[in-house]
Amino acid sequence: MRAHDFGQFLLNSSIFDETQLVELISAAKNVRPTFATAAIFLRLLSVAEMVKVFEYSKIVEAENVAGFFRSHDEVTQEKYNEIVRKFLSPHKFKSISNAAKDNSFQLAQILIDGDKIDFSDFEKILESYHREEIPPVEKIFGDIYNAFKSDKKVDYPPALDVAVHFHSFFSEEFRTTAIFSPVAPDFREELFGASVKINGDIPIVVGVLAEKKVLHKLANSYDKFVSEDIEEDFDAVAEMLNVFTGNFTVRVATTSGIEEELYPPRFGQLNFEIETLATVFADVGKFYLYIGAEEIFKI
């Protein structure tokens, strides 16, 4: 089971575009997945099996299939959840209990609750998602990477590792869904941000860039005490990158034995075009992830 990438799958499959998904992601943060939705998402029970569970329970009256999976008022939902719980082992139920923390489950729930798609289509989408041989994040980043100019990009394996781990880190840290998009950067925008250089056997610079308003939203989401001051925004985003790159270098050292060191963060306004920017959409807005070999800000 892959985490945090259901939204990426929806974009990759052209089921929703970036604008639609950002709206869904924002709405999804306010929902709690039902046990029924979590169970079919985790493939602990099929939709057909779940329907039989409800029909045999005699606690609820028969209704359309989607109704068993939608959110209800608190009292009704407790009744529905208890029905699902009775048919699961303690181990499987623990998996469902943890599902409320995963953004993919929340996104699935908002699709069912809001009738954004027909429930039979949702079943097909879920089946396609689980049949994916290449994880959605890796799939889209491969397309984005191939669009980078060959003389400006870091080798693919480390670039992919950074992108995949950043996607996971951002999703967990901000409790939201992040989506990589093939949309090209718009250099008419005034972009501000921060970067951190990882130096060693695999030298690579990781940066986050955005327009001022989005940069502040990023900073404020990471540090609630940030005021609307660009210097404080720089500090918060730089600290976020410090934490990410620190975690990333620990992973690299653990898995490959390669020791890397971090240079102090840099920050400022971008004053030239960069070819190795990956566009990212999240509930805070659109921003860019820089993965390159060269520093992008002066000291």
Side-chain angles (χ1 to χ4, degrees):
M1 180 65 202
R2 298 178 299 273
H4 312 307
D5 58 5
F6 184 56
Q8 190 67 64
F9 171 80
L10 295 174
L11 179 72
N12 294 3
S13 305
S14 301
I15 296 168
F16 297 102
D17 62 25
E18 293 91 342
T19 301
Q20 293 169 321
L21 277 169
V22 168
E23 292 176 357
L24 290 171
I25 290 165
S26 297
K29 294 185 78 170
N30 299 317
V31 304
R32 183 178 179 85
T34 68
F35 286 1
T37 296
I40 62 166
F41 202 97
L42 284 168
R43 310 185 94 181
L44 302 178
L45 291 168
S46 68
V47 172
E49 289 171 331
M50 189 72 72
V51 171
K52 288 181 180 178
V53 165
F54 278 104
E55 288 178 343
Y56 294 158
S57 70
K58 296 182 180 180
I59 298 178
V60 298
E61 296 181 0
E63 56 179 287
N64 66 66
V65 174
F68 293 129
F69 298 89
R70 289 195 186 103
S71 299
H72 298 80
D73 64 83
E74 188 174 347
V75 174
T76 303
Q77 193 58 58
E78 280 189 21
K79 182 169 61 176
Y80 274 47
N81 286 348
E82 187 59 28
I83 292 169
V84 177
R85 181 174 184 169
K86 286 180 179 178
F87 282 83
L88 296 173
S89 67
H91 175 70
K92 288 183 176 180
F93 177 69
K94 185 177 180 180
S95 298
I96 281 183
S97 298
N98 293 333
K101 303 173 185 177
D102 194 300
N103 310 313
S104 290
F105 295 90
Q106 293 176 303
L107 191 53
Q109 190 63 55
I110 206 69
L111 292 180
I112 295 171
D113 285 354
D115 292 319
K116 300 298 182 182
I117 52 177
D118 185 82
F119 189 77
S120 60
D121 290 333
F122 177 80
E123 286 185 74
K124 295 173 185 174
I125 289 170
L126 202 54
E127 283 299 311
S128 297
Y129 170 67
H130 284 291
R131 284 199 305 267
E132 282 278 285
E133 294 183 4
I134 303 175
V137 172
E138 294 185 20
K139 194 171 185 178
I140 191 69
F141 184 75
D143 294 339
I144 294 170
Y145 179 88
N146 288 333
F148 292 163
K149 284 188 174 180
S150 60
D151 61 337
K152 292 288 186 181
K153 58 188 179 184
V154 177
D155 288 344
Y156 183 68
L160 176 63
D161 282 348
V162 168
V164 169
H165 286 117
F166 180 83
H167 186 277
S168 177
F169 169 83
F170 185 88
S171 300
E172 292 173 3
E173 190 68 40
F174 289 83
R175 296 215 177 265
T176 187
T177 296
I179 302 167
F180 284 117
S181 170
V183 172
D186 184 354
F187 289 107
R188 293 172 299 177
E189 302 170 326
E190 287 190 322
L191 299 179
F192 301 82
S195 67
V196 173
K197 182 177 182 178
I198 302 171
N199 197 48
D201 291 338
I202 310 174
I204 191 168
V205 180
V206 184
V208 168
L209 298 156
E211 290 186 298
K212 271 188 178 180
K213 288 183 179 180
V214 176
L215 190 75
H216 178 66
K217 288 181 181 179
L218 276 168
N220 189 248
S221 295
Y222 185 76
D223 182 352
K224 298 297 182 185
F225 298 101
V226 169
S227 63
E228 290 196 36
D229 179 272
I230 190 66
E231 296 299 326
E232 291 191 23
D233 291 342
F234 285 150
D235 287 344
V237 174
E239 176 59 25
M240 178 193 76
L241 283 172
N242 257 338
V243 174
F244 164 69
T245 51
N247 291 341
F248 180 74
T249 53
V250 169
R251 282 197 188 98
V252 171
T254 302
T255 57
S256 65
I258 298 174
E259 296 287 342
E260 308 283 349
E261 66 172 314
L262 301 180
Y263 280 22
R266 297 186 180 195
F267 45 82
Q269 180 176 0
L270 186 68
N271 54 21
F272 60 95
E273 294 189 8
I274 305 175
E275 293 296 333
T276 55
L277 289 183
T279 304
V280 186
F281 284 87
D283 59 333
V284 295
K286 178 182 67 175
F287 64 95
Y288 302 103
L289 175 66
Y290 171 70
I291 303 173
E294 301 173 355
E295 296 278 14
I296 53 177
F297 299 114
K298 295 180 179 179
I299 296 175

